[in-house]
Amino acid sequence: MVKLGSEMIGINSLALEMGLENVMNMHIDAKATIGMIARKGVGSLRHVEVNTFWLQAVVRSGRIRVRKIAGEVNPADILTKYV
């Protein structure tokens, strides 16, 4: 997620230089991941990398919005589910 977030911010910077404004939505199917990004700090987690805190701050600032997507319709999960 952190890599996706940094790539989204880079693409958004390019779009802003071209005069395009857009809203960045990150669609995720894992509730645990959404909860980890939505919280502030470590909470009860252990072994969390520092870059996770960066993504938490970006989401809290509103630069990226995190949305829940059903696993059955997630295009990133194509070929990972039983057909």
Side-chain angles (χ1 to χ4, degrees), residues 31-46:
K31 286 183 182 180
T33 305
I34 293 171
M36 186 175 69
I37 296 304
R39 78 177 60 169
K40 183 176 182 179
V42 179
S44 62
L45 296 175
R46 294 183 182 177

Side-chain angles (χ1 to χ4, degrees), residues 4-70:
L4 173 61
S6 62
E7 288 179 4
M8 289 173 71
I9 288 176
I11 290 170
N12 191 42
S13 295
L14 288 173
L16 287 173
E17 287 181 13
M18 291 186 254
L20 303 171
E21 289 196 33
N22 58 354
V23 176
M24 296 183 296
N25 292 315
M26 186 181 293
H27 297 276
I28 302 167
D29 63 354
K31 286 183 182 180
T33 305
I34 293 171
M36 186 175 69
I37 296 304
R39 78 177 60 169
K40 183 176 182 179
V42 179
S44 62
L45 296 175
R46 294 183 182 177
H47 310 292
V48 178
E49 295 184 18
V50 175
N51 55 14
T52 305
F53 300 130
W54 171 83
L55 187 57
Q56 286 177 347
V58 169
V59 169
R60 234 184 351 269
S61 73
R63 292 177 70 185
I64 294 177
R65 292 188 293 194
V66 178
R67 301 283 186 243
K68 172 79 171 116
I69 186 171

Side-chain angles (χ1 to χ4, degrees), residues 79-83:
L79 301 180
T80 63
K81 304 277 192 267
Y82 176 74
V83 179

